Amino acid sequence: MSTPQLILKQRAELLAVLCGGGSAEPLDCVLDLLLAWEVLVWEDYLSIQVAEKALSYKVRQLLDVVYDKGEDACSLLLAALNQVLPEEQKTGLCFGEQCAVVGKNRPDTATLTLLADRPVLVRKLRDNIDGALDVLLTTGCFTIKDCDVVQLPVYTPSQQVRRLLDQVRFTGETAAKTLLQYLEQTETSRPNPEDKENHLSANCMLYQKKLRSSVAAQSHSLNTYGGTGHFSLDDIYTDGLLEVMDGSGETTTLGLEDVVGPLGTLNDDADTFLVSGEAGSGKSTLLQRLHLLWAREALLQNIFLLFPFSCRKLNAEHRELSLKELLFLHCCWPDRGQDEVFQFILDHPNLVLFTFDGLDEFKQGFTDEERHCCPTKQVPVPVLLFNLLQGTLMKGVVKVVTSRPQAVGPSLKRYLHKEVLLKGFSPGGIDCFVKKHHSDPAMARRVLESLHANSVLLSLCHIPVFCWIVTKCHQELLGSQDGIPQTITDVYLLVLQHFFQRKSYQHQGVLGKAWLEEHLNTVLKLGQLALEGLEASCYVFSGYELQRIGLTDQDVSMGFLTYCSDLSVTDCKRYEFLHITLQCFFAALYVVLNRNRYRSAIYRLFQPKYKQLAGLSQRCLEPCFDSSVEGMESRVTETPNLQITAQFVSGLLSQRHHNLLLECCPTAMRERKAKQVVKSLSKCMQRHFKSIPRPLEGEKKSMHAMPSFVWLIKCIYEMQDSSIAQDTMAKLDVEHLKLTYCNIGPVECTALAYVLKYLRNPVGLQLDNNSVGDVGAEQLLPCLHICHSLYLRNNNISDEGIRKLLEKGMKCERFQKIALFNNNLTDACTQHFAWLLKSKQNFLSLRLGNNNITSQGAEQLAEGLSYNQSLQFLGLWGNKIGDRGAEALADALKNSTTLIWLSLVDNGVGSAGACALAKIISQSKSLEELWLNKNCISREGVECLIEALKVNTSVKEIWLRGNNLSPGEEEELSKQESRLTF
Ligand code: ADP
């Protein structure tokens, strides 16, 4: 008997066994298998799993659908039933001949993998739903609403998993990848207790205990709170924004626990994990948190021994060391069984983790020229470090390295397992930090109010170190008569004033108006130490060095320097500035206030070419930005510090601080130096502009800015002199300004807008792949009038940011295009776009791909579109507008005389949506391309499109790849209409 006949004959029995127990689980399991084996396509599945229908309806529906599919499908249904039903229910049933399930090639997308592995995934995820939802939520793939839908209590855990899988599939490829990576990670990170315990001797356990307690002691409190001592890391630690970028350039948000997880892996063979971020973005603090949590067994539980290193401290190690000495001398000395402990480390690299903080502060730039793999041989520390990072030495040990991005060149990149970007605090992070810092809620509220009332200051607070200063100096801030800080120089002058003020209070005094002059002597000595330190890549100072410069205990007690906490075995006291940016600030003060030496320092600080290397005193005068100059690679690490110093120099020489500096430095000298800065900035900009290639014929004149362009803009901003900004921009003549992947956050947006608003001609401003965020978007408003196009793809912008941007955009005559692919937009922003479309009848292009817009949002947009007669490009790729949304858009756009390009790729649009869109095609004389790939359109929908195309001559192509059509149907339909692409 054929299998369809078998099914027909046993229909009543099959119905009974699948419905008998009242549980939907057997049916669900059968459906899982049939989806995995590709017997059912998604549309079949939806036609069976109709939410409000009874179980018996669903089973009947399944039997009908499969029966219609013929012999092979029926065989596979019987095979699935045979697999799912318990033995006792199988008696009396006939399953036909055993049929082999043909092994298919592994699917090439994550979404398809979810289907192919569905039965296994349901089992694996059953006990892990919360974890999976957490990851999907924190990576932004799911909203809270998505999670709630999955976790409705009426569902059994297996049903919840299936809902989760369905929702992930609907959300798209990124979500599917995230889920698969999460599963992989939970499997690989699950510690294998047997492995560990088998090899652990008492000595190793003892060593672990000692290491844990010294790491805990060292990471318990933050350096910046050292003097005041009230806060532990637990009290103040606030999660920063962490992102990884995968090979295709897509970014995902991470949690601290994912820093060494598989998400974002670039190279499986490498074991160095890089956390990169600008100065003050919180790299050291993040690492410290990681250390503390490991010491408490709250994170990295599969790591038995963790060795923390600071690169700035390794600079001071001039001896040749073996690996063993490096570990034991610099981290923790084993009291017993040294050899045994070391052997354990060598034998179990997978249980060991090293961290290296501040690779950018390591004197020597990374090279992989010298190979070294012997753990007992003594070699210079750079050789040890670089071979550890490459994996030549101790392959398999995870290494977590922090650095500023500039110090990571191509030679190191080859050895990176992945790169995690630390982007400072999110807006929520700032609030959280301020509340943690001020235990008095009323004070926290006042500080937050003053921050939120000043968006420039708020934008600065995205960088944790600035946030720390602003919060710490709240009294000076709230009671300031000199206005709210606008620049980073203002912020650092605030901290300077704060520390001197604190000292005066201790002596029952109040800081006078001429406070800088009063403390000039201390400032100059600290400045000299700072500048000489920067010159020599030295960030840790011995007591002897302090003495040489004449720094007294009283100077030290001001609090700008702090003792280095250190695990290594050294007797002498060592000091460092509270933060590297503070060292740069003192260096800048020295450059500005010193009357004797470094007269030409300013000029050379901005010099592009490093002219003569004669003696130590000139080392600081190296180029701030010319990292590509031959032979300079190893010195690149100093450049960012010199750039920050130059920024402070610009700020200090601003007219705003004239009064403060009046008594400290003769006016003539100050003015001369200010002139020098302006001249240097102008020259550097000129050089930048000259590098702009001539446009190719037919192309726009475009400038792809280098990171140093952003630095120069920031220096101009620090000067707060509009005439300088105006003069500089008068010479820039481009139609398109590209600043992609330039680490542009809110602070940079403030500076950019300050300068770009003086451009003479309208420009397209491309800021894709930065971290502009809502606050940054607001900062851009002053230059919006000069932007004809704004590209903000992948920038963490949400509805609130859009509201402010469009409010202004509506009033800007020239503003015609916006691209917001991959941000955090929801239906809440579509009303603003609707207003924009209604009120701006010259708006040309709106691209909102990869956001969270549903049918409701599409309906709102449609409302605006129906009044618009200018839009040419509309992109909604990767949203969730479904049939309803497509119908609404079609209705609004059917009379458009301008629309050229429309993309609704991957939006859950079915045949109903396609038939509605056919209305646009039959009426439009302008539409040229319609993109409908990755939807669920079936034959009926395509036939509507073909019908409409018969009366349309403008459409050139309709893309329909990845819809619900069989290869046969695709072939047949494309023969009917050559403009369809499958
Ligand atoms: P980086 O290493 O990137 O230069 P740090 O980690 O030294 O930055 O941060 C500078 C200061 O900013 C810290 O000393 C601390 O006061 C504050 N800070 C940084 N990150 C955090 C955080 N996650 N939570 C609380 N404060 C932080």
Side-chain angles (χ1 to χ4, degrees), residues 421-680:
L421 310 172
L422 179 54
K423 304 208 150 172
F425 289 152
S426 64
I430 297 175
D431 287 11
C432 174
F433 175 84
V434 173
K435 286 181 190 153
K436 285 184 172 194
H437 191 105
H438 291 288
S439 51
D440 171 10
M443 179 53 84
R445 213 172 322 116
R446 280 188 65 200
V447 174
L448 282 173
E449 271 165 16
S450 71
L451 286 185
H452 286 281
N454 181 307
S455 62
V456 176
L457 195 58
L458 186 64
S459 69
L460 284 172
C461 288
H462 282 80
I463 314 260
V465 73
F466 302 159
C467 195
W468 164 72
I469 295 178
V470 168
T471 316
K472 189 178 180 66
C473 304
H474 63 278
Q475 263 160 351
E476 288 78 359
L477 186 74
L478 297 175
S480 163
Q481 274 125 40
D482 305 331
I484 301 240
Q486 296 285 314
T487 64
I488 64 160
T489 310
D490 296 351
V491 170
Y492 277 72
L493 280 170
L494 206 64
V495 83
L496 199 66
Q497 192 184 356
H498 175 86
F499 276 76
F500 289 137
Q501 179 84 67
R502 201 180 59 185
K503 211 66 204 162
S504 304
Y505 280 144
Q506 281 170 14
H507 299 286
Q508 265 80 44
V510 179
L511 208 58
K513 255 203 145 349
W515 58 270
L516 187 57
E517 192 198 355
E518 271 172 48
H519 294 279
L520 189 60
N521 194 20
T522 308
V523 169
L524 284 175
K525 283 185 282 184
L526 285 167
Q528 187 182 348
L529 184 78
L531 185 56
E532 288 183 3
L534 290 185
E535 289 168 0
S537 305
C538 175
Y539 314 97
V540 180
F541 308 95
S542 67
Y544 165 75
E545 277 159 311
L546 267 58
Q547 242 177 21
R548 184 179 59 79
I549 283 174
L551 278 160
T552 61
D553 285 350
Q554 205 195 339
D555 294 327
V556 175
S557 71
M558 291 292 173
F560 301 108
L561 292 174
T562 150
Y563 296 126
C564 288
S565 56
D566 198 334
L567 291 179
S568 64
V569 205
T570 50
D571 295 330
C572 57
K573 259 190 198 165
R574 293 193 292 164
Y575 303 83
E576 58 193 348
F577 281 89
L578 279 181
H579 191 256
I580 180 68
T581 47
L582 198 65
Q583 183 171 347
C584 296
F585 182 60
F586 273 104
L589 280 166
Y590 191 68
V591 170
V592 171
L593 299 177
N594 188 343
R595 301 175 190 205
N596 307 320
R597 292 172 62 214
Y598 297 107
R599 222 174 296 154
S600 53
I602 294 168
Y603 184 60
R604 292 195 233 167
L605 203 57
F606 290 90
Q607 275 277 81
K609 280 235 154 43
Y610 179 54
K611 299 235 165 102
Q612 294 147 350
L613 255 177
L616 231 187
S617 65
Q618 284 187 337
R619 292 188 57 191
C620 73
L621 313 173
E622 272 183 30
C624 280
F625 62 95
D626 212 10
S627 57
S628 57
V629 178
E630 238 180 281
M632 300 290 281
E633 287 219 16
S634 65
R635 310 294 297 280
V636 147
T637 56
E638 289 161 30
T639 308
N641 292 334
L642 297 175
Q643 288 192 339
I644 297 172
T645 309
Q647 222 178 310
F648 282 130
V649 167
S650 312
L652 287 168
L653 289 168
S654 147
Q655 196 59 30
R656 285 150 59 82
H657 302 305
H658 173 80
N659 286 346
L660 184 67
L661 302 192
L662 201 60
E663 302 302 325
C664 308
C665 139
T667 306
M669 183 175 93
R670 200 188 64 80
E671 279 175 359
R672 206 181 58 236
K673 288 184 179 178
K675 255 192 206 145
Q676 265 180 329
V677 168
V678 175
K679 204 165 142 199
S680 308

Side-chain angles (χ1 to χ4, degrees), residues 224-225 236-238 278 280-285 433 464-465 468 579:
T224 34
Y225 293 90
I236 199 71
Y237 185 79
T238 307
E278 296 300 333
S281 60
K283 301 178 294 295
S284 307
T285 310
F433 175 84
V465 73
W468 164 72
H579 191 256

Side-chain angles (χ1 to χ4, degrees), residues 644-760:
I644 297 172
T645 309
Q647 222 178 310
F648 282 130
V649 167
S650 312
L652 287 168
L653 289 168
S654 147
Q655 196 59 30
R656 285 150 59 82
H657 302 305
H658 173 80
N659 286 346
L660 184 67
L661 302 192
L662 201 60
E663 302 302 325
C664 308
C665 139
T667 306
M669 183 175 93
R670 200 188 64 80
E671 279 175 359
R672 206 181 58 236
K673 288 184 179 178
K675 255 192 206 145
Q676 265 180 329
V677 168
V678 175
K679 204 165 142 199
S680 308
L681 281 173
S682 167
K683 265 193 175 171
C684 291
M685 269 303 189
Q686 286 301 308
R687 220 174 342 255
H688 220 94
F689 298 161
K690 275 195 194 134
S691 69
I692 306 171
R694 281 167 182 277
L696 297 175
E697 218 176 276
E699 273 190 13
K700 290 199 166 138
K701 190 172 178 194
S702 158
M703 180 173 105
H704 193 151
M706 304 306 236
S708 62
F709 175 75
V710 181
W711 162 65
L712 290 169
I713 294 264
K714 278 163 63 172
C715 290
I716 295 175
Y717 176 75
E718 287 299 309
M719 298 206 83
Q720 289 289 301
D721 184 336
S722 51
S723 63
I724 300 174
Q726 214 161 348
D727 288 352
T728 317
M729 283 302 108
K731 290 162 204 142
L732 179 60
D733 174 26
V734 285
E735 292 163 276
H736 189 90
L737 186 55
K738 194 168 170 185
L739 285 154
T740 53
Y741 295 105
C742 279
N743 264 325
I744 299 205
V747 181
E748 288 71 24
C749 288
T750 312
L752 269 176
Y754 181 81
V755 177
L756 294 184
K757 68 180 176 207
Y758 295 109
L759 275 171
R760 295 240 168 112

